[in-house]
PDB file of all heavy atoms in Angstrom:
ATOM      1  N   LYS J 177      -4.611   3.145 -33.256  1.00 92.00           N
ATOM      2  CA  LYS J 177      -3.307   3.635 -32.820  1.00 92.00           C
ATOM      3  C   LYS J 177      -2.561   2.577 -32.017  1.00 92.00           C
ATOM      4  O   LYS J 177      -1.360   2.373 -32.207  1.00 92.00           O
ATOM      5  CB  LYS J 177      -3.481   4.891 -31.965  1.00 92.00           C
ATOM      6  CG  LYS J 177      -2.189   5.513 -31.481  1.00 92.00           C
ATOM      7  CD  LYS J 177      -2.454   6.797 -30.704  1.00 92.00           C
ATOM      8  CE  LYS J 177      -1.155   7.439 -30.252  1.00 92.00           C
ATOM      9  NZ  LYS J 177      -1.403   8.703 -29.499  1.00 92.00           N
ATOM     10  N   VAL J 178      -3.273   1.894 -31.126  1.00 93.00           N
ATOM     11  CA  VAL J 178      -2.636   0.888 -30.268  1.00 93.00           C
ATOM     12  C   VAL J 178      -2.353  -0.392 -31.034  1.00 93.00           C
ATOM     13  O   VAL J 178      -1.305  -1.021 -30.857  1.00 93.00           O
ATOM     14  CB  VAL J 178      -3.532   0.586 -29.048  1.00 93.00           C
ATOM     15  CG1 VAL J 178      -2.913  -0.523 -28.187  1.00 93.00           C
ATOM     16  CG2 VAL J 178      -3.734   1.838 -28.208  1.00 93.00           C
ATOM     17  N   TYR J 179      -3.283  -0.779 -31.895  1.00 91.00           N
ATOM     18  CA  TYR J 179      -3.155  -2.035 -32.642  1.00 91.00           C
ATOM     19  C   TYR J 179      -3.247  -1.746 -34.148  1.00 91.00           C
ATOM     20  O   TYR J 179      -4.259  -2.040 -34.789  1.00 91.00           O
ATOM     21  CB  TYR J 179      -4.255  -3.012 -32.235  1.00 91.00           C
ATOM     22  CG  TYR J 179      -4.318  -3.293 -30.756  1.00 91.00           C
ATOM     23  CD1 TYR J 179      -5.365  -2.800 -29.977  1.00 91.00           C
ATOM     24  CD2 TYR J 179      -3.332  -4.058 -30.132  1.00 91.00           C
ATOM     25  CE1 TYR J 179      -5.423  -3.065 -28.615  1.00 91.00           C
ATOM     26  CE2 TYR J 179      -3.381  -4.326 -28.772  1.00 91.00           C
ATOM     27  CZ  TYR J 179      -4.433  -3.822 -28.019  1.00 91.00           C
ATOM     28  OH  TYR J 179      -4.491  -4.086 -26.668  1.00 91.00           O
ATOM     29  N   PRO J 180      -2.221  -1.160 -34.724  1.00 91.00           N
ATOM     30  CA  PRO J 180      -2.266  -0.776 -36.141  1.00 91.00           C
ATOM     31  C   PRO J 180      -2.481  -1.954 -37.080  1.00 91.00           C
ATOM     32  O   PRO J 180      -3.000  -1.778 -38.189  1.00 91.00           O
ATOM     33  CB  PRO J 180      -0.900  -0.106 -36.372  1.00 91.00           C
ATOM     34  CG  PRO J 180      -0.017  -0.644 -35.281  1.00 91.00           C
ATOM     35  CD  PRO J 180      -0.922  -0.817 -34.105  1.00 91.00           C
ATOM     36  N   ASN J 181      -2.090  -3.141 -36.658  1.00 87.00           N
ATOM     37  CA  ASN J 181      -2.267  -4.332 -37.493  1.00 87.00           C
ATOM     38  C   ASN J 181      -3.478  -5.154 -37.068  1.00 87.00           C
ATOM     39  O   ASN J 181      -3.657  -6.284 -37.520  1.00 87.00           O
ATOM     40  CB  ASN J 181      -1.005  -5.205 -37.440  1.00 87.00           C
ATOM     41  CG  ASN J 181       0.217  -4.488 -37.976  1.00 87.00           C
ATOM     42  OD1 ASN J 181       0.143  -3.802 -39.005  1.00 87.00           O
ATOM     43  ND2 ASN J 181       1.338  -4.613 -37.282  1.00 87.00           N
ATOM     44  N   GLY J 182      -4.287  -4.591 -36.205  1.00 85.00           N
ATOM     45  CA  GLY J 182      -5.468  -5.298 -35.734  1.00 85.00           C
ATOM     46  C   GLY J 182      -5.132  -6.359 -34.706  1.00 85.00           C
ATOM     47  O   GLY J 182      -3.976  -6.515 -34.296  1.00 85.00           O
ATOM     48  N   LEU J 183      -6.150  -7.107 -34.278  1.00 84.00           N
ATOM     49  CA  LEU J 183      -5.973  -8.180 -33.318  1.00 84.00           C
ATOM     50  C   LEU J 183      -6.515  -9.481 -33.898  1.00 84.00           C
ATOM     51  O   LEU J 183      -7.342  -9.453 -34.814  1.00 84.00           O
ATOM     52  CB  LEU J 183      -6.701  -7.851 -32.006  1.00 84.00           C
ATOM     53  CG  LEU J 183      -6.012  -6.835 -31.106  1.00 84.00           C
ATOM     54  CD1 LEU J 183      -6.950  -6.374 -29.999  1.00 84.00           C
ATOM     55  CD2 LEU J 183      -4.742  -7.418 -30.506  1.00 84.00           C
ATOM     56  N   PRO J 184      -6.075 -10.626 -33.374  1.00 80.00           N
ATOM     57  CA  PRO J 184      -6.575 -11.915 -33.872  1.00 80.00           C
ATOM     58  C   PRO J 184      -8.094 -12.011 -33.736  1.00 80.00           C
ATOM     59  O   PRO J 184      -8.698 -11.333 -32.909  1.00 80.00           O
ATOM     60  CB  PRO J 184      -5.883 -12.935 -32.969  1.00 80.00           C
ATOM     61  CG  PRO J 184      -4.702 -12.221 -32.417  1.00 80.00           C
ATOM     62  CD  PRO J 184      -5.129 -10.783 -32.277  1.00 80.00           C
ATOM     63  N   GLU J 185      -8.700 -12.872 -34.552  1.00 74.00           N
ATOM     64  CA  GLU J 185     -10.138 -13.092 -34.448  1.00 74.00           C
ATOM     65  C   GLU J 185     -10.474 -13.715 -33.100  1.00 74.00           C
ATOM     66  O   GLU J 185      -9.629 -14.314 -32.440  1.00 74.00           O
ATOM     67  CB  GLU J 185     -10.611 -14.014 -35.576  1.00 74.00           C
ATOM     68  CG  GLU J 185     -10.469 -13.408 -36.967  1.00 74.00           C
ATOM     69  CD  GLU J 185     -11.298 -12.153 -37.142  1.00 74.00           C
ATOM     70  OE1 GLU J 185     -12.394 -12.103 -36.546  1.00 74.00           O
ATOM     71  OE2 GLU J 185     -10.857 -11.232 -37.843  1.00 74.00           O
ATOM     72  N   VAL J 186     -11.722 -13.569 -32.692  1.00 68.00           N
ATOM     73  CA  VAL J 186     -12.159 -14.062 -31.386  1.00 68.00           C
ATOM     74  C   VAL J 186     -11.806 -15.522 -31.170  1.00 68.00           C
ATOM     75  O   VAL J 186     -11.423 -15.940 -30.082  1.00 68.00           O
ATOM     76  CB  VAL J 186     -13.690 -13.864 -31.230  1.00 68.00           C
ATOM     77  CG1 VAL J 186     -14.186 -14.552 -29.960  1.00 68.00           C
ATOM     78  CG2 VAL J 186     -14.021 -12.386 -31.167  1.00 68.00           C
ATOM     79  N   ALA J 187     -11.929 -16.329 -32.225  1.00 65.00           N
ATOM     80  CA  ALA J 187     -11.717 -17.765 -32.081  1.00 65.00           C
ATOM     81  C   ALA J 187     -10.267 -18.130 -31.792  1.00 65.00           C
ATOM     82  O   ALA J 187      -9.975 -19.234 -31.331  1.00 65.00           O
ATOM     83  CB  ALA J 187     -12.185 -18.487 -33.343  1.00 65.00           C
ATOM     84  N   GLU J 188      -9.343 -17.218 -32.036  1.00 66.00           N
ATOM     85  CA  GLU J 188      -7.933 -17.528 -31.839  1.00 66.00           C
ATOM     86  C   GLU J 188      -7.542 -17.360 -30.379  1.00 66.00           C
ATOM     87  O   GLU J 188      -7.812 -16.342 -29.745  1.00 66.00           O
ATOM     88  CB  GLU J 188      -7.065 -16.631 -32.725  1.00 66.00           C
ATOM     89  CG  GLU J 188      -7.279 -16.878 -34.208  1.00 66.00           C
ATOM     90  CD  GLU J 188      -6.261 -16.147 -35.056  1.00 66.00           C
ATOM     91  OE1 GLU J 188      -5.132 -15.924 -34.578  1.00 66.00           O
ATOM     92  OE2 GLU J 188      -6.594 -15.796 -36.195  1.00 66.00           O
ATOM     93  N   SER J 189      -6.872 -18.357 -29.834  1.00 70.00           N
ATOM     94  CA  SER J 189      -6.550 -18.392 -28.404  1.00 70.00           C
ATOM     95  C   SER J 189      -5.501 -17.370 -28.002  1.00 70.00           C
ATOM     96  O   SER J 189      -5.328 -17.099 -26.818  1.00 70.00           O
ATOM     97  CB  SER J 189      -6.070 -19.791 -28.005  1.00 70.00           C
ATOM     98  OG  SER J 189      -4.900 -20.141 -28.741  1.00 70.00           O
ATOM     99  N   ASN J 190      -4.774 -16.821 -28.968  1.00 83.00           N
ATOM    100  CA  ASN J 190      -3.705 -15.873 -28.613  1.00 83.00           C
ATOM    101  C   ASN J 190      -4.189 -14.431 -28.585  1.00 83.00           C
ATOM    102  O   ASN J 190      -3.389 -13.506 -28.546  1.00 83.00           O
ATOM    103  CB  ASN J 190      -2.520 -16.010 -29.576  1.00 83.00           C
ATOM    104  CG  ASN J 190      -2.890 -15.657 -31.009  1.00 83.00           C
ATOM    105  OD1 ASN J 190      -4.061 -15.708 -31.380  1.00 83.00           O
ATOM    106  ND2 ASN J 190      -1.884 -15.315 -31.802  1.00 83.00           N
ATOM    107  N   PHE J 191      -5.504 -14.206 -28.607  1.00 85.00           N
ATOM    108  CA  PHE J 191      -6.033 -12.840 -28.569  1.00 85.00           C
ATOM    109  C   PHE J 191      -5.547 -12.100 -27.326  1.00 85.00           C
ATOM    110  O   PHE J 191      -5.057 -10.979 -27.399  1.00 85.00           O
ATOM    111  CB  PHE J 191      -7.558 -12.834 -28.601  1.00 85.00           C
ATOM    112  CG  PHE J 191      -8.157 -11.474 -28.339  1.00 85.00           C
ATOM    113  CD1 PHE J 191      -8.369 -10.590 -29.377  1.00 85.00           C
ATOM    114  CD2 PHE J 191      -8.464 -11.058 -27.057  1.00 85.00           C
ATOM    115  CE1 PHE J 191      -8.887  -9.325 -29.147  1.00 85.00           C
ATOM    116  CE2 PHE J 191      -8.982  -9.796 -26.809  1.00 85.00           C
ATOM    117  CZ  PHE J 191      -9.195  -8.929 -27.856  1.00 85.00           C
ATOM    118  N   ALA J 192      -5.728 -12.725 -26.155  1.00 85.00           N
ATOM    119  CA  ALA J 192      -5.405 -12.057 -24.898  1.00 85.00           C
ATOM    120  C   ALA J 192      -3.939 -11.647 -24.840  1.00 85.00           C
ATOM    121  O   ALA J 192      -3.604 -10.532 -24.437  1.00 85.00           O
ATOM    122  CB  ALA J 192      -5.752 -12.957 -23.708  1.00 85.00           C
ATOM    123  N   GLU J 193      -3.058 -12.542 -25.254  1.00 88.00           N
ATOM    124  CA  GLU J 193      -1.629 -12.228 -25.225  1.00 88.00           C
ATOM    125  C   GLU J 193      -1.298 -11.109 -26.209  1.00 88.00           C
ATOM    126  O   GLU J 193      -0.564 -10.176 -25.874  1.00 88.00           O
ATOM    127  CB  GLU J 193      -0.807 -13.465 -25.565  1.00 88.00           C
ATOM    128  CG  GLU J 193       0.699 -13.208 -25.538  1.00 88.00           C
ATOM    129  CD  GLU J 193       1.512 -14.446 -25.867  1.00 88.00           C
ATOM    130  OE1 GLU J 193       0.913 -15.457 -26.275  1.00 88.00           O
ATOM    131  OE2 GLU J 193       2.751 -14.395 -25.727  1.00 88.00           O
ATOM    132  N   ALA J 194      -1.855 -11.179 -27.400  1.00 90.00           N
ATOM    133  CA  ALA J 194      -1.598 -10.147 -28.400  1.00 90.00           C
ATOM    134  C   ALA J 194      -2.120  -8.794 -27.925  1.00 90.00           C
ATOM    135  O   ALA J 194      -1.463  -7.758 -28.100  1.00 90.00           O
ATOM    136  CB  ALA J 194      -2.253 -10.529 -29.728  1.00 90.00           C
ATOM    137  N   ALA J 195      -3.298  -8.804 -27.305  1.00 90.00           N
ATOM    138  CA  ALA J 195      -3.885  -7.552 -26.813  1.00 90.00           C
ATOM    139  C   ALA J 195      -3.049  -6.968 -25.685  1.00 90.00           C
ATOM    140  O   ALA J 195      -2.821  -5.757 -25.635  1.00 90.00           O
ATOM    141  CB  ALA J 195      -5.315  -7.806 -26.346  1.00 90.00           C
ATOM    142  N   ARG J 196      -2.585  -7.818 -24.785  1.00 90.00           N
ATOM    143  CA  ARG J 196      -1.770  -7.341 -23.667  1.00 90.00           C
ATOM    144  C   ARG J 196      -0.432  -6.795 -24.148  1.00 90.00           C
ATOM    145  O   ARG J 196      -0.032  -5.690 -23.766  1.00 90.00           O
ATOM    146  CB  ARG J 196      -1.532  -8.482 -22.665  1.00 90.00           C
ATOM    147  CG  ARG J 196      -0.742  -8.045 -21.427  1.00 90.00           C
ATOM    148  CD  ARG J 196      -0.402  -9.201 -20.513  1.00 90.00           C
ATOM    149  NE  ARG J 196       0.621 -10.078 -21.062  1.00 90.00           N
ATOM    150  CZ  ARG J 196       0.384 -11.289 -21.549  1.00 90.00           C
ATOM    151  NH1 ARG J 196      -0.835 -11.777 -21.579  1.00 90.00           N
ATOM    152  NH2 ARG J 196       1.370 -12.025 -22.026  1.00 90.00           N
TER     153      ARG J 196
END
Side-chain angles (χ1 to χ4, degrees):
K177 181 177 182 180
V178 177
Y179 305 109
N181 298 317
L183 284 168
E185 295 298 326
V186 172
E188 295 189 29
S189 60
N190 63 338
F191 171 88
E193 181 180 9
R196 183 185 72 253

